[in-house]
């Protein structure tokens, strides 16, 4: 039951997050506070000036949303997120890194492009690189021999999924290519209504979705904090939004009955 719930929640979350921002592509905001917040802790892989633009993608399918472990089937819809203010950042040490996907070896996930790693205990099961590739090809309809090239042209894709076989907790990393410049806070804010609606349509009860801030990989990022109930279980979830080059990276963690989301986020390390 817990594993099925994790899969369902993951699919619902990714779809709702990506669809929500796409529907509001024309809205624009000029909130200086949001801009200042999102300049802190933003990871970029190429030097940009204050007018640097971003490129475009989506996927909800991945498990994204959310908890991983589940099927991260993404739908390639319109992801034009709202534009918000000046999104310039100071590039960190990984400035000249080229786009690349993460990889899993034993029970450790590493993504040098984003600059994060995650090592988990034996109670966790990661989808292998081959399983992630097959999942993306099937859910995104990718055809061709050059997998990396296909991902670069996709609107979104799943990069990592892991499930705790003991308690049903899940972790998921999803890439969403941004067609317009948008801050982490704007993306999170535009996702609230669609996320709540999607969870309620999936028969989750007592759904609450709030825009928050969470420490992740050495910096503070915009996030969604979600609580709900399903078939007698309490559901706790956080989705952290992190800009990396032309992508919005969605890091989703979910726990059941006990809120352990912050502990899971703290397992990610900067590399």
């Amino acid at each position: 039951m817990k594993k099925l719930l994790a899969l369902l929640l993951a699919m619902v979350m990714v779809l709702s997050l990506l669809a929500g921002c796409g529907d509001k592509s024309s809205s624009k905001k000029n909130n200086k506070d949001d801009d200042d917040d999102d300049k802190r802790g933003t990871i970029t892989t190429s030097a940009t000036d204050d007018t640097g633009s971003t490129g475009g993608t989506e996927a909800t399918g991945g498990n994204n949303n959310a908890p991983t472990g589940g099927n991260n089937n993404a739908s390639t819809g319109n992801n034009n997120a709202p534009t918000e203010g000046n999104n310039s950042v100071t590039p960190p040490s990984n400035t000249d890194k080229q786009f690349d996907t993460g990889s899993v070896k034993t029970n450790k996930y590493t993504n040098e492009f984003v600059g994060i790693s995650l090592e988990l205990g034996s109670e966790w099961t990661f989808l292998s690189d081959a399983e992630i590739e097959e999942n993306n090809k099937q859910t995104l309809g990718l055809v061709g021999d050059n997998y990396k090239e296909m991902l670069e042209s996709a609107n979104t894709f799943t990069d990592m999924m892991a499930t705790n076989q003991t308690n049903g907790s899940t972790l998921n990393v999803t890439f969403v290519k941004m067609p317009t410049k948008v801050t982490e806070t704007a993306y999170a804010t535009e996702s609230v209504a669609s996320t709540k609606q999607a969870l309620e349509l999936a028969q989750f009860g007592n759904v609450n979705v709030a825009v928050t801030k969470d420490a992740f990989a050495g910096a503070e990022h915009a996030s969604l904090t979600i609580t709900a109930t399903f078939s007698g279980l309490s559901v706790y979830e956080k989705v952290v939004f992190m800009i990396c080059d032309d992508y919005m990276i969605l890091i989703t963690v979910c726990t059941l009955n006990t809120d352990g989301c912050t502990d899971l986020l703290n397992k990610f390390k900067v590399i």
Side-chain angles (χ1 to χ4, degrees):
M1 175 62 182
K2 289 182 178 180
K3 293 180 183 178
L4 292 175
L5 174 58
L7 290 175
L8 172 62
L9 186 56
M11 289 188 290
V12 169
M13 285 301 304
V14 179
L15 292 168
S16 63
L17 288 169
L18 301 170
C21 289
D23 291 341
K24 295 174 171 46
S25 60
S26 61
S27 67
K28 295 187 178 182
K29 303 184 182 205
N30 294 301
N31 189 313
K32 183 177 184 302
D33 291 337
D34 284 348
D35 287 337
D36 291 339
D37 287 344
D38 291 330
K39 288 175 187 177
R40 295 194 296 270
T42 299
I43 292 180
T44 181
T45 59
S46 60
T48 60
D49 58 22
D50 286 351
T51 59
S53 60
T54 56
T57 105
E58 158 323 8
T60 96
N63 208 353
N64 168 82
N65 101 23
T68 105
N71 182 344
N72 226 15
N73 302 334
S75 64
T76 56
N78 181 353
N79 278 308
N80 300 326
T83 302
E84 180 175 355
N86 187 326
N87 212 24
S88 63
V89 298
T90 301
S93 58
N94 63 346
T95 7
D96 296 323
K97 294 277 186 175
Q98 296 299 309
F99 167 81
D100 203 357
T101 58
S103 63
V104 172
K105 293 183 180 179
T106 311
N107 246 32
K108 184 176 182 178
Y109 163 75
T110 303
N111 189 308
E112 294 186 357
F113 174 65
V114 181
I116 58 175
S117 68
L118 171 69
E119 187 167 8
L120 299 172
S122 59
E123 70 276 18
W124 287 85
T125 299
F126 282 92
L127 288 190
S128 67
D129 292 346
E131 289 171 325
I132 288 288
E133 179 175 338
E134 183 61 25
N135 178 73
N136 282 326
K137 285 181 176 179
Q138 289 186 359
T139 58
L140 301 176
L142 302 178
V143 178
D145 297 326
N146 191 325
Y147 176 61
K148 179 179 174 181
E149 188 175 273
M150 288 188 289
L151 288 186
E152 286 190 89
S153 63
N155 286 333
T156 183
F157 63 89
T158 299
D159 199 53
M160 181 275 284
M161 293 186 226
T163 304
N164 187 307
Q165 301 301 317
T166 301
N167 59 26
S169 297
T170 59
L171 300 113
N172 173 286
V173 176
T174 299
F175 279 50
V176 180
K177 189 177 289 183
M178 302 305 298
T180 57
K181 184 169 66 175
V182 59
T183 65
E184 296 167 1
T185 300
Y187 199 105
T189 301
E190 295 294 348
S191 302
V192 172
S194 59
T195 298
K196 188 174 190 297
Q197 181 181 46
L199 289 171
E200 290 175 341
L201 287 174
Q203 304 304 307
F204 285 80
N206 303 310
V207 178
N208 183 67
V209 183
V211 177
T212 50
K213 294 283 185 180
D214 275 280
F216 177 79
E220 186 178 71
H221 297 274
S223 61
L224 291 184
T225 295
I226 302 159
T227 57
T229 56
F230 190 89
S231 295
L233 294 173
S234 297
V235 179
Y236 301 90
E237 185 166 30
K238 281 186 179 289
V239 183
V240 174
F241 302 87
M242 183 171 69
I243 296 171
C244 179
D245 200 56
D246 291 343
Y247 293 91
M248 184 69 75
I249 313 299
L250 310 184
I251 301 93
T252 304
V253 300
C254 177
T255 62
L256 304 176
N257 288 332
T258 300
D259 186 359
C261 292
T262 298
D263 290 340
L264 291 183
L265 289 175
N266 289 338
K267 291 182 180 294
F268 285 85
K269 306 301 180 184
V270 178
I271 58 173

